[in-house]
Amino acid sequence: MKRKTVAVVDYGSGNLRSVSQAVRHVAHAEDVDVLVTSDAQAVLDADRVVLPGQGHMGDCMRELAASGLLDAVLHAAANKPLFGVCVGMQMLLDRSEEGPTDGLGLIPGEVVRFQLDGRLQADGSRYKVPQMGWNPVFHALGRGAPHRLWAGIGDGAYFYFVHSFYARPSDTAHSVGEADYGGRFAAAIARDNIFATQFHPEKSADQGLALYRNFLSWNP
């Protein structure tokens, strides 16, 4: 029987080492091969795809197009489970204020910058942008059952964030996890076979590994 594969897309602008190590850590027990690849055919052939991203969204979009991997990523988004991470999540939406930059248009909405100048947190300290650190993520949201990728992960579990911009999907049904930093924002978004997080599961200890593990067995 052919072993299942997960392709971590290497288009020159992602946190590849820590993402791939985390996915490999959970994939070993699931008997799944993980490859970091810049080959479009490998992405097309993979059973699942992880799209990481870090830095400026405009740079990420340009590098994805220049890498020759854009069509393979769009094919994956239409046909197989895809997990976007950080800027890889932001790229899924229509556009971003950062640049401004057009996104992939796979989930309707926009990416906006935190506007927190002069605002104080409950402890009297100023909000800092980027947000860097641990933040609880709430996934029930009062809109029915949580997304299946939250299985075994407590509502309000802490995940690690580093970001100045956040996703604002047009349809709130696509927001499947929310955090608060000067106001509620979408920390996880999903549609059909796509799931993506603003936080870094690979830097979020056991709960982040559990999320990747759930992704490996997810059949949308």
Side-chain angles (χ1 to χ4, degrees):
M1 180 181 296
K2 179 180 178 291
R3 286 171 62 89
K4 292 185 178 180
T5 58
V6 177
V8 180
V9 183
D10 178 7
Y11 59 98
S13 198
N15 190 18
L16 297 171
R17 186 171 183 274
S18 59
V19 170
S20 60
Q21 284 185 332
V23 179
R24 284 190 175 112
H25 181 79
V26 297
H28 178 71
E30 302 291 334
D31 201 29
V32 174
D33 290 329
V34 179
L35 60 149
V36 177
T37 183
S38 57
D39 179 68
Q41 190 60 52
V43 175
L44 291 170
D45 291 342
D47 298 289
R48 300 168 191 274
V49 172
V50 177
L51 179 67
Q54 64 180 6
H56 192 286
M57 180 165 151
D59 293 339
C60 290
M61 289 298 300
R62 282 191 295 273
E63 291 184 27
L64 179 61
S67 70
L69 291 163
L70 176 57
D71 286 345
V73 168
L74 292 175
H75 182 272
N79 293 283
K80 64 190 71 175
L82 182 143
F83 195 127
V85 182
C86 195
V87 178
M89 166 186 170
Q90 296 176 5
M91 293 164 68
L92 300 176
L93 282 84
D94 293 319
R95 67 193 65 84
S96 174
E97 289 183 347
E98 188 175 24
T101 305
D102 288 337
L104 297 173
L106 297 170
I107 295 179
E110 60 182 348
V111 178
V112 297
R113 193 178 194 279
F114 283 118
Q115 300 295 334
L116 300 172
D117 291 350
R119 293 185 55 187
L120 301 180
Q121 303 190 63
D123 63 2
S125 63
R126 290 184 179 273
Y127 282 102
K128 295 180 180 179
V129 178
Q131 177 195 191
M132 299 178 65
W134 296 82
N135 205 342
V137 174
F138 301 94
H139 46 71
L141 308 181
R143 293 198 294 268
H147 194 281
R148 281 181 287 165
L149 261 67
W150 294 123
I153 300 170
D155 195 29
Y158 279 75
F159 292 86
Y160 188 78
F161 292 79
V162 181
H163 65 127
S164 301
F165 295 79
Y166 62 93
R168 191 159 63 191
S170 300
D171 186 343
T172 57
H174 292 145
S175 177
V176 296
E178 292 183 358
D180 192 300
Y181 195 67
R184 282 287 184 114
F185 68 91
I189 61 176
R191 180 185 65 78
D192 302 328
N193 56 298
I194 298 171
F195 186 94
T197 64
Q198 180 61 67
F199 56 81
H200 291 271
E202 69 281 358
K203 297 180 180 179
S204 299
D206 289 346
Q207 59 269 29
L209 293 176
L211 197 57
Y212 280 140
R213 185 178 297 111
N214 289 342
F215 173 67
L216 295 183
S217 59
W218 179 39
N219 292 302

